[in-house]
Structures are given as C-alpha cells and as structure tokens.
Amino acid sequence: MTPPAQPLRRLLLCWNDGATHAASAARSALRDALTFHGVRSSAVDDAVLAASELVGNAVEHAIGPYELWLRQTGRDLIVEMHDRDASLPCIPASFLRAAVAAAAREGGPLPRALGLDAERGRGLLVVEALTGGSWGFRLVGGSGRDVWKKVAWMSVPS
C-alpha cells in the first residue's frame, strides 16, 4: 500500500509593502500556474480576476509581507492570499451571499445591495460571484491570515 500523496502547495509570489505592480505580477504568476495544470482558459480568467481582487484587498487593508499560494487537494485547486493581519474581516460571507442574491432578484448593481458607492467595496462581491461562495478566511497560527478561494470549475484533469 502506498501512502497518499501530499497535497501540492506552491508559493507563486511573495512581495512586501510598497512593491510596485504586485497585482499584475500576481495575475501573471497565477495564470501561468493554472495553465500549467491544464485549467481551461475561461476558468483561468475567472480565477485570475478573483485573485486580483484578493491581492488588492490585502495590499489596501492588511500588512505585508504578502504571499500568493496555489494548493492542490485531490482534483481541486485552491488559491490562497496570505498576509500578516491577525484579524478577520468584519464582513461575513453569508452577508455577501445575501447581497448577491438581492441584487440578482432586483436587477440592481451589487454595491447598492450593500449600500456601497459605485467606485469601492466590490472586491469581495466579485470573489463571491466568481466562486459561487467557495471562499473564506482563516487565521494561520500567529503569522496572519489566509483568504482562500476554491472554484469548482478549476478541477484538475485526471
């Protein structure tokens, strides 16, 4: 009997506060990694957009250094954005899901469902919409937090 394979966890990018072009570098690194794993192009585009929102949120609201990881568990790929903020955001995922559902029912823009202006506050709504709710936050020991997203359509070919 062979032991189960260890999940792949690969650091795609690491950067510090003040780094220029971090979002662009993160998008490129993730696109390359997902393409290497055989993820179809439409899923790569969605994953890269969602990850770009996570990177932007981390840079704006958390402290560095920052890390973008790709983890494979079974047939799923999970993108993780790690920062050194030791607190969880105060917007629960259930609230975002309710806002997305309300906006869909009413045909209005997502920010209005949350009472946000048109220019800001949509990053996690974009992540929610692109992942179908397969994302969240977790504290990582004493070293900060991960914002993760698992996207069902990112399954690795067998």
Side-chain angles (χ1 to χ4, degrees):
M1 173 188 255
T2 59
Q6 292 294 317
L8 162 91
R9 188 164 190 252
R10 181 174 152 207
L11 179 63
L12 299 180
L13 186 66
C14 183
W15 69 97
N16 290 307
D17 292 315
T20 58
H21 311 295
S24 173
R27 287 190 299 268
S28 179
L30 181 59
R31 182 175 300 283
D32 290 347
L34 295 177
T35 300
F36 173 80
H37 281 284
V39 177
R40 71 179 192 276
S41 62
S42 61
V44 170
D45 291 343
D46 288 346
V48 167
L49 176 57
S52 184
E53 294 296 339
L54 297 180
V55 167
N57 282 352
V59 169
E60 184 173 346
H61 300 292
I63 54 176
Y66 311 94
E67 299 169 348
L68 183 67
W69 290 84
L70 182 64
R71 183 165 49 101
Q72 182 178 349
T73 57
R75 291 178 46 89
D76 293 319
L77 294 174
I78 299 170
V79 178
E80 298 172 336
M81 178 63 229
H82 183 78
D83 59 51
R84 298 310 187 268
D85 193 333
S87 63
L88 293 178
C90 60
I91 302 174
S94 59
F95 177 74
L96 292 173
R97 287 185 196 104
V100 169
R105 278 192 313 274
E106 298 166 10
L110 293 174
R112 187 181 311 148
L114 289 174
L116 302 171
D117 67 39
E119 296 300 319
R120 307 203 26 88
R122 293 180 277 176
L124 293 179
L125 290 171
V126 170
V127 172
E128 171 68 20
L130 290 171
T131 65
S134 294
W135 68 279
F137 302 93
R138 70 172 182 230
L139 294 178
V140 181
S143 69
R145 68 178 175 204
D146 279 339
V147 181
W148 61 270
K149 66 184 195 68
K150 173 179 148 185
V151 184
W153 60 80
M154 286 176 49
S155 292
V156 179
S158 50

